[in-house]
Amino acid sequence: MTAPKQAPERVLSTLNNDGSRFWIHPKLVKGRLWWQRAVVGYALIALFVALPIISIDGKPAMLLDILAREFTLFGTTFRPSDTFLLLLLGIASLLSIFWITALFGRIWCGWGCPQTVYMEFVFRPIESWLEGGPTQRKALDQKRPTWRRLAKWAIFAVIAFAMANIFLSYFLGWHRLVKWIGNVPSEHPFGFATVMFVSALVFFDFAYFREQMCTVACPYGRLQSVLIDPNSLIVGYDVARGEPRGKPGSKKSLPVVGEAQGDCVACNACVAVCPTGIDIRNGLQMECIGCTQCIDACEPIMEKLGRPTGLIRYSSQNELEGKPRQVVRARTILYPIGILVALTLFAYNLSHRGGTDVWVVRNAQVTYQELPGGRIATSVRVKIENKSEAHRVYRIALQDAKGELISPTSPLQLDAKKATTIPVFISVAKVDFEHGKHASQILLTDDAGFRRELAITLFGPEHDDEKEKGDHDDH
């Protein structure tokens, strides 16, 4: 069998030169930034668990009820008629990501992304507890699964199942999920299948795929080239200060004899702790998730050597090149302006959103019908959506002295969070149509004080206006 070809160098940090998987087992350093990230990470995990459970004004803090076509966010329910509001919220969220990235780089990846948070603060601690440090874990990779690894996978499966149930509660609601858990799976096969599928995905991700989610699957690393600029905050290595590298007091590794030695002592501690397997000293890389483990690894070494910390630090490309960092620039001004505009429009439309939405839909099948006595019957469809939490009684009236409302008869009953489409028939004298059109108006009211006037255009036959009016006057 022909041996696989070897690449001249590793293409990805997760691949060997022959293209096989390079398993990364990072060393854990609990420095000052790790503890700060741990506080943020565990707070985000608690928030993930709490959002579908806690209630705001009697509603879940977050519920994405796709079957009922309702999204509840922090006590406010959005229905399909609120598409514009959701669009504004989406625009504000997207621009917020752009703005944060322009200022702080990939801080989301290192501090807030669920992939990083659960990997570093849930799954890796369990792995280290059962399998030991990087050396022990690498040794286990060469053996058949031992009881330690089997126990790790069992715990991973339990956590994945719990995460899948919490995930499902965002779409079902916590109370319904608890009720389902108490029943046999055959009573809700789709929900059970969803939980098992999501559990399998979570287990596959954190037990096998791991850092490849960041380096291969996630598009955010590739987008950073357009989302950040030389003034964005990144985790960077100070080349001017660190190079050339060399052991303390040694000249062997210096490229030129007599050249001043840099602060980097080539200990490779920054590489050993990187969860994506990169060398931060090679500059800004797509695989860097900004987790700051390299900073935590470098700082104690600098302190032991009596050198200032910050060889690897939060900085910007400009600052690392000796240039000043400009925080205020075009994108850091335009993004917040866009966010403010979107949120202002969102708040205005939300505050003016009533308990009822109503639309007039044209009847495309039958434009009009001629009735005895020279009258024309025109039909339109009125769609009413009761967005309130209570039953409503609606009444339809015609605000047109020349017209007559044939149907429907009032009142109309509509339950909470329900919508209906009502055909409305209006009779108008043929002579009142001008060029085949007649302007009319419908008034919709309810028992809670709602009032909406709807201007509609009725279509009728084309005719000679002067002749028709003359014949009408003769009669």
Side-chain angles (χ1 to χ4, degrees):
M1 181 180 293
T2 305
K5 294 183 179 180
Q6 299 285 325
E9 60 182 9
R10 289 169 64 185
V11 179
L12 288 174
S13 60
T14 56
L15 294 179
N16 292 309
N17 289 26
D18 61 358
S20 60
R21 172 79 178 272
F22 178 77
W23 284 92
I24 297 173
H25 296 290
K27 180 181 178 182
L28 177 61
V29 176
K30 295 183 178 181
R32 61 180 182 87
L33 290 172
W34 185 91
W35 286 105
Q36 294 174 19
R37 288 172 55 231
V39 171
V40 174
Y42 289 122
L44 289 174
I45 293 173
L47 182 65
F48 170 70
V49 176
L51 278 178
I53 300 176
I54 60 178
S55 297
I56 300 176
D57 294 334
K59 301 178 182 179
M62 186 169 291
L63 176 61
L64 310 176
D65 194 339
I66 297 177
L67 295 179
R69 299 189 300 170
E70 291 182 353
F71 289 176
T72 300
L73 305 175
F74 302 103
T76 302
T77 300
F78 300 92
R79 293 181 57 81
S81 55
D82 297 316
T83 302
F84 183 63
L85 286 172
L86 294 174
L87 176 63
L88 291 173
L89 198 59
I91 291 174
S93 301
L94 190 63
L95 290 178
S96 297
I97 294 173
F98 291 171
W99 185 34
I100 292 173
T101 305
L103 287 172
F104 306 110
R106 294 184 68 174
I107 195 169
W108 162 255
C109 295
W111 292 72
C113 177
Q115 177 72 21
T116 303
V117 168
Y118 282 95
M119 190 75 243
E120 301 303 322
F121 301 111
V122 176
F123 290 95
R124 279 206 208 279
I126 294 172
E127 186 175 65
S128 298
W129 170 56
L130 287 171
E131 296 184 351
T135 303
Q136 290 85 349
R137 294 200 296 271
K138 288 178 182 178
L140 287 176
D141 290 342
Q142 309 302 321
K143 303 177 182 179
R144 292 183 178 180
T146 64
W147 72 268
R148 293 180 180 274
R149 183 148 291 183
L150 293 175
K152 179 191 74 172
W153 287 341
I155 296 174
F156 279 12
V158 172
I159 296 175
F161 183 73
M163 291 174 62
N165 276 277
I166 296 172
F167 174 77
L168 186 62
S169 70
Y170 277 80
F171 301 90
L172 287 179
W174 180 255
H175 297 293
R176 190 190 302 180
L177 176 66
V178 172
K179 183 178 180 181
W180 280 20
I181 292 175
N183 298 333
V184 294
S186 59
E187 295 186 11
H188 43 82
F190 179 77
F192 180 74
T194 301
V195 168
M196 298 308 296
F197 177 72
V198 174
S199 299
L201 285 181
V202 174
F203 180 84
F204 171 79
D205 179 23
F206 292 104
Y208 176 80
F209 204 56
R210 319 191 88 172
E211 69 282 340
Q212 293 187 120
M213 178 63 71
C214 306
T215 61
V216 178
C218 181
Y220 190 64
R222 291 160 178 80
L223 285 175
Q224 72 169 337
S225 60
V226 294
L227 294 179
I228 70 173
D229 57 40
N231 291 291
S232 301
L233 202 64
I234 61 171
V235 174
Y237 166 69
D238 193 338
V239 177
R241 177 185 156 188
E243 301 296 325
R245 307 170 197 170
K247 299 297 181 182
S250 172
K251 302 293 183 182
K252 294 181 180 181
S253 57
L254 298 182
V256 179
V257 177
E259 185 177 356
Q261 181 174 301
D263 281 349
C264 179
V265 295
C267 64
N268 290 334
C270 55
V271 180
V273 300
C274 181
T276 58
I278 67 168
D279 188 341
I280 193 65
R281 295 169 297 184
N282 293 335
L284 182 63
Q285 298 158 72
M286 179 198 72
E287 295 86 359
C288 177
I289 60 173
C291 68
T292 70
Q293 270 288 278
C294 52
I295 299 177
D296 283 337
C298 186
E299 284 188 347
I301 294 175
M302 292 294 103
E303 291 173 353
K304 289 178 181 179
L305 295 174
R307 300 176 184 180
T309 59
L311 180 60
I312 302 175
R313 63 183 184 273
Y314 269 126
S315 186
S316 68
Q317 289 175 283
N318 276 344
E319 287 176 310
L320 292 172
E321 294 173 2
K323 305 174 185 177
R325 181 191 179 204
Q326 296 180 351
V327 177
V328 180
R329 50 197 190 275
R331 62 175 59 191
T332 60
I333 295 175
L334 295 177
Y335 287 153
I337 290 176
I339 296 169
L340 181 61
V341 171
L343 291 180
T344 301
L345 290 174
F346 173 81
Y348 175 81
N349 284 276
L350 183 63
S351 63
H352 287 75
R353 184 181 65 166
T356 299
D357 272 341
V358 57
W359 308 268
V360 174
V361 183
R362 184 68 55 189
N363 191 338
Q365 296 178 348
V366 180
T367 306
Y368 65 91
Q369 291 179 329
E370 295 193 19
L371 302 177
R375 298 187 70 82
I376 301 297
T378 304
S379 66
V380 295
R381 291 181 298 162
V382 177
K383 183 176 180 179
I384 305 172
E385 182 178 3
N386 179 11
K387 299 166 66 174
S388 69
E389 303 291 332
H391 179 86
R392 290 284 182 261
V393 179
Y394 293 95
R395 290 176 172 79
I396 294 179
L398 186 64
Q399 301 286 88
D400 181 4
K402 298 181 179 180
E404 177 185 349
L405 183 64
I406 301 177
S407 66
T409 58
S410 295
L412 304 170
Q413 309 284 337
L414 194 58
D415 290 333
K417 298 182 180 181
K418 297 295 182 180
T420 186
T421 300
I422 302 170
V424 176
F425 292 89
I426 301 172
S427 169
V428 181
K430 186 176 181 180
V431 296
D432 292 324
F433 286 87
E434 297 183 3
H435 305 292
K437 298 180 180 179
H438 175 75
S440 188
Q441 198 171 47
I442 292 175
L443 174 64
L444 180 70
T445 59
D446 72 359
D447 55 344
F450 173 80
R451 178 185 176 91
R452 178 74 58 82
E453 294 181 354
L454 303 170
I456 59 174
T457 300
L458 304 178
F459 291 98
E462 297 277 354
H463 60 272
D464 187 333
D465 294 338
E466 296 299 329
K467 180 178 178 181
E468 292 287 352
K469 289 183 179 180
D471 292 344
H472 183 73
D473 293 341
D474 292 339
H475 290 294

